[in-house]
Amino acid sequence: MINKIENMRHTASHVLAQAVLRLFPDVKLGIGPVIQDGFYYDFLFGREFSEDDFLKIEEEMHRIVKDDYKLEKFTLSREKALEELEGQPFKQELVMDIPESEEISFYKQGEFTDLCEGKPSHVASTSQIGKFKILSTSGAYWKGNENNVMLQRIYATSFEKKSELKAYLDKLKEAEKRDHRRIGQKLNLFEIFSQDAGSGLVFWLPQGKKLLNSLMEWSRSMHVKDGYREIETPHIVHTNLWEKSGHLANFKDFMFICPDDEGDSGVGIKPMNCPGHMLVYSRKRRSYKELPVKLMEFGTVYRNEKAGTMHGLFRVRGFTQDDAHIFCTFDQLENQIIEVLNFAESIFSKFGFKWKLFFKGRPDKSIGSDAAWEKAESSLKAAISKAGIDAEYIPGDGAFYGPKLDFEIEDALGRHWQCTTVQIDFNLPDRFNLSYVNSNDEEEVPVLIHRAIFGSMERFIGILIEHYAGNFPFWLSPTQAIIVPISEKHFDYGREFLNDLKSAGIRAKLDDRNEKVGKKIRDAELNKVPYMFVVGDREMNSSSVSVRHRDDGDRGSVSKNELIEELKKEGNVN
RNA sequence: GCCAGCGUAGCUCAGUGGUAGAGCUGCGGUUUUGUAAACCGUAGGUCGGGGGUUCGAAUCCCUCCGCUGGCUCCA
């Protein structure tokens, strides 16, 4: 079934090209592949495509569907192919890229013929492309190379049934509603003063900072339980250190570097925490008895990302990583990986994320001995199977300095995010001459594991905002409860209860504005506050409060003491 | 960085060459309220910055800044 939809979309991309070519005979065709949720086609066009063009193109596509052209495959020699593609320079370039040994195939439907490998294959005729819709356009470099000419890309999608198309479009709308930038604005969580302070730099507002703190405090307690020791390293260090770590050589364009008074070497703002952690490890002679050494830091790093790539909390220039480095012996590697896997699982299960593990092996260009790679990869494999986790093995996708494990989590809308990465590193211990003394009084080089679970706290909060649509669970909610007095008469009673809640460690507020109950409830709901406690005469007389919950409305009245005990339990994150 | 669209009050937006608008928010007052919006009044903008065209520019042109969607999931 999955193939079928790909076939439909592949043919639909041909139909799109056919329609565009009918309407605008001068366009030059690029490529038109099937992608994750649809397909696209690239065109060289004198101007951009407008919404009006979309309608015309869709209309023309419908005509092509109605005429139900059969798709016919044929092959040509290179010379004949180039002739066939007269006037289509990009297609001709593609023909020249095809190796001698492979056949050059075309698909023809009506008057339209396209160079096409036939992967995925096509449906039999143009009436079978399902229900489609043009979604958007964008600029896209020919062959993705920014030195090449920019083409106009049309994104579209198709589904077998109209209801499926509608469900997909609804999902896009829902995602838009949940956009963390929009919710962040409404809930006063964060601000990015692009114009005044620079893009990609996050200002956490009081409400957002509470959220960040709750997440960090929980994460910190989880790390401490798991044997990590928290450290903090400076935000800027001499460029010498970045030379030593190799970051300057590989990462210079992404680093913020500034001169200092002590000479011409200058200082670099840290784009990564690793070198600092290497120094901390190396400050004294280490015994095998103290391994593994697990150093953890909420390390704030800055990277000079390209101007056009910033996006809310997802892609920023400054962010805080929940970063840790584990220094261990080769014999400990497997167990350490198992611990990290279990740790990540305990973190993600808290949020109800499903997740998938990818195991990325040795790339073509790599450092480290064959023996080390083999040992590392086999340890990872053993760890994965012992932890009872399924992992997809992707050879060649690891870092040049060692194999890695990447987690992909799936949110409430079924979207995928990569947060966690676990990497084994043969490079840095070497560069920093790290060692420990083994039981035979010999120096050995420790194995280094880099790992971050959330990755970037900023980005993870962005994901959480969209995952929960702003309806954070109680323990994360910036404001956990609002007390709603019916009238001024009940303010004192409300204040008293507010103090009780605060003493119990609950983040509560009192709404003592001169407004009606309905208005106060509405505002609390819009602010996604989990609990609203209504207090009036009835409650005052019975030493109780009336409980309303964000998710299910009125829950009736409860005694104050009982309620506080329940809230304490609910807020207890451990 | 590149392509396209966009930038009007704290927020959401209307205004396409002729005196800058609405709702919400804010502030002042009336009301004393029972589970998603009480009422009246009032304040608030060098229309992103700069330059140009014009008798006249939020509106047209140039430029800078920023935002948004994208920029190989390869015939």
Side-chain angles (χ1 to χ4, degrees):
Chain A
M1 285 319 275
I2 285 165
N3 280 337
K4 170 130 193 233
I5 201 160
E6 288 187 351
N7 299 347
M8 278 170 40
R9 287 171 177 170
H10 187 192
T11 306
S13 91
H14 283 222
V15 171
L16 171 63
Q18 183 174 16
V20 171
L21 210 50
R22 280 185 182 179
L23 294 165
F24 313 101
D26 293 337
V27 299
K28 308 299 176 203
L29 303 179
I31 58 168
V34 173
I35 54 175
Q36 184 73 55
D37 291 314
F39 57 92
Y40 67 78
Y41 214 108
D42 287 344
F43 305 93
L44 182 67
F45 191 37
R47 57 179 179 86
E48 74 285 359
F49 292 101
S50 67
E51 299 273 326
D52 283 349
D53 294 329
F54 284 11
L55 291 176
K56 282 186 204 141
I57 293 166
E58 284 181 352
E59 231 171 78
E60 197 59 46
M61 287 174 75
H62 283 297
R63 218 161 283 147
I64 294 164
V65 165
K66 207 171 157 199
D67 290 345
D68 197 18
Y69 302 112
K70 295 266 175 300
L71 273 93
E72 297 162 48
K73 179 181 177 177
F74 61 94
T75 60
L76 291 177
S77 67
R78 188 169 301 243
E79 297 80 72
K80 292 282 182 194
L82 290 174
E83 259 174 56
E84 171 71 35
L85 295 166
E86 189 62 48
Q88 290 295 345
F90 301 111
K91 293 290 185 188
Q92 289 177 329
E93 190 181 329
L94 291 172
V95 167
M96 297 311 290
D97 291 342
I98 296 172
E100 288 287 346
S101 54
E102 287 177 29
E103 68 170 19
I104 299 173
S105 60
F106 289 82
Y107 278 80
K108 182 172 161 53
Q109 57 198 56
E111 85 289 357
F112 176 75
T113 301
D114 200 359
L115 176 71
C116 179
E117 191 181 20
K119 283 182 194 167
S121 58
H122 284 281
V123 291
S125 68
T126 57
S127 66
Q128 296 171 35
I129 63 170
K131 304 294 171 194
F132 56 86
K133 183 164 175 60
I134 294 176
L135 299 172
S136 61
T137 59
S138 82
Y141 298 109
W142 169 238
K143 289 184 173 173
N145 183 335
E146 63 187 15
N147 297 317
N148 287 342
V149 65
M150 183 159 268
L151 309 178
Q152 294 293 322
R153 174 168 299 176
I154 295 182
Y155 285 94
T157 192
S158 73
F159 288 86
E160 206 171 335
K161 291 182 196 146
K162 199 171 181 180
S163 59
E164 291 167 341
L165 177 63
K166 185 174 180 299
Y168 176 72
L169 297 176
D170 286 347
K171 193 177 122 179
L172 289 184
K173 261 190 224 157
E174 177 62 24
E176 206 181 313
K177 263 195 254 168
R178 289 179 178 227
D179 191 313
H180 70 279
R181 291 164 302 183
R182 186 188 288 236
I183 294 178
Q185 166 73 254
K186 280 192 185 143
L187 301 188
N188 299 304
L189 300 178
F190 63 91
E191 188 73 66
I192 296 171
F193 297 96
S194 307
Q195 192 90 240
D196 295 320
S199 57
L201 300 167
V202 180
F203 288 66
W204 287 104
L205 306 175
Q207 287 294 87
K209 181 63 179 170
K210 285 189 229 172
L211 177 58
L212 181 61
N213 281 346
S214 301
L215 191 62
M216 266 191 174
E217 278 157 24
W218 174 68
S219 166
R220 174 176 287 129
S221 73
M222 294 293 281
H223 277 92
V224 168
K225 264 195 255 173
D226 211 49
Y228 289 90
R229 304 175 72 199
E230 187 178 358
I231 60 172
E232 184 167 321
T233 67
H235 292 200
I236 59 172
V237 294
H238 269 133
T239 48
N240 298 350
L241 187 69
W242 304 115
E243 254 164 49
K244 189 171 184 179
S245 68
H247 285 102
L248 213 53
N250 294 310
F251 220 54
K252 192 174 182 187
D253 291 344
F254 284 99
M255 279 187 68
F256 293 103
I257 294 172
C258 41
D260 72 356
D261 291 343
E262 294 173 32
D264 55 359
S265 75
V267 293
I269 302 175
K270 66 175 172 183
M272 287 181 158
N273 303 300
C274 333
H277 290 208
M278 298 308 112
L279 290 181
V280 172
Y281 177 89
S282 69
R283 69 181 277 274
K284 62 174 188 176
R285 269 167 79 79
R286 301 280 183 176
S287 156
Y288 71 97
K289 291 177 192 169
E290 58 181 310
L291 297 187
V293 170
K294 299 163 79 168
L295 299 178
M296 190 272 166
E297 173 175 19
F298 287 107
T300 303
V301 297
Y302 291 88
R303 297 176 184 176
N304 195 0
E305 301 286 352
K306 282 195 198 172
T309 56
M310 254 62 76
H311 179 97
L313 296 176
F314 287 164
R315 194 75 185 265
V316 290
R317 285 199 165 128
F319 58 98
T320 300
Q321 295 177 306
D322 59 336
D323 203 2
H325 294 87
I326 299 168
F327 305 85
C328 65
T329 69
F330 247 121
D331 289 341
Q332 292 170 329
L333 181 57
E334 184 183 316
N335 268 330
Q336 286 308 304
I337 297 293
I338 292 174
E339 277 187 21
V340 171
L341 291 176
N342 288 336
F343 187 70
E345 180 165 26
S346 67
I347 296 283
F348 289 132
S349 59
K350 181 90 180 165
F351 305 98
F353 288 125
K354 282 186 271 180
W355 48 272
K356 198 178 161 188
L357 185 62
F358 295 88
F359 177 6
K360 300 178 176 176
R362 187 175 190 173
D364 294 339
K365 273 171 78 181
S366 63
I367 60 156
S369 66
D370 290 354
W373 273 92
E374 260 165 49
K375 176 93 203 249
E377 292 206 14
S378 65
S379 297
L380 287 179
K381 265 179 204 156
I384 292 165
S385 80
K386 277 192 189 165
I389 295 170
D390 284 331
E392 186 175 324
Y393 182 67
I394 306 174
D397 221 17
F400 74 90
Y401 49 75
K404 62 179 181 177
L405 301 174
D406 286 335
F407 281 65
E408 213 176 74
I409 57 174
E410 186 182 312
D411 73 9
L413 291 184
R415 295 172 304 177
H416 293 215
W417 310 92
Q418 198 218 298
C419 299
T420 302
T421 177
V422 183
Q423 305 182 1
I424 295 178
D425 188 340
F426 305 128
N427 181 36
L428 280 182
D430 205 40
R431 280 177 173 266
F432 281 84
N433 287 319
L434 300 188
S435 66
Y436 65 92
V437 179
N438 70 15
S439 57
N440 299 322
D441 199 19
E442 298 156 344
E443 298 232 327
E444 285 196 49
V445 181
V447 181
L448 171 64
I449 305 170
H450 302 259
R451 47 108 290 187
I453 307 296
F454 295 141
S456 148
M457 301 300 291
E458 282 75 3
R459 181 165 174 272
F460 192 73
I461 286 182
I463 293 168
L464 285 183
I465 291 171
E466 304 203 358
H467 178 59
Y468 291 122
N471 297 303
F472 302 108
F474 183 73
W475 70 277
L476 272 176
S477 290
T479 302
Q480 296 175 306
I482 283 191
I483 300 166
V484 178
I486 303 264
S487 80
E488 229 168 312
K489 283 187 294 184
H490 314 109
F491 281 9
D492 283 341
Y493 183 73
R495 255 187 287 274
E496 218 176 90
F497 186 50
L498 177 67
N499 288 333
D500 294 346
L501 288 173
K502 282 188 172 168
S503 309
I506 291 154
R507 295 184 291 275
K509 288 181 179 170
L510 173 72
D511 191 344
D512 55 3
R513 293 176 304 166
N514 179 9
E515 294 288 352
K516 298 182 84 167
V517 178
K519 170 70 171 166
K520 294 181 184 181
I521 296 285
R522 178 181 155 81
D523 287 346
E525 291 276 357
L526 290 175
N527 283 312
K528 318 257 185 202
V529 177
Y531 284 103
M532 287 145 277
F533 301 131
V534 179
V535 294
D537 288 340
R538 292 205 295 267
E539 289 74 17
M540 270 173 76
N541 293 333
S542 59
S543 203
S544 66
V545 299
S546 191
V547 178
R548 181 191 164 100
H549 194 272
R550 178 183 64 194
D551 299 336
D552 53 16
D554 199 344
R555 285 184 181 177
S557 67
V558 183
S559 89
K560 288 200 291 184
N561 294 338
E562 201 180 311
L563 179 59
I564 285 176
E565 285 315 305
E566 272 176 36
L567 292 177
K568 271 191 189 164
K569 255 186 246 162
E570 191 173 352
N572 184 357
V573 291
N574 303 312

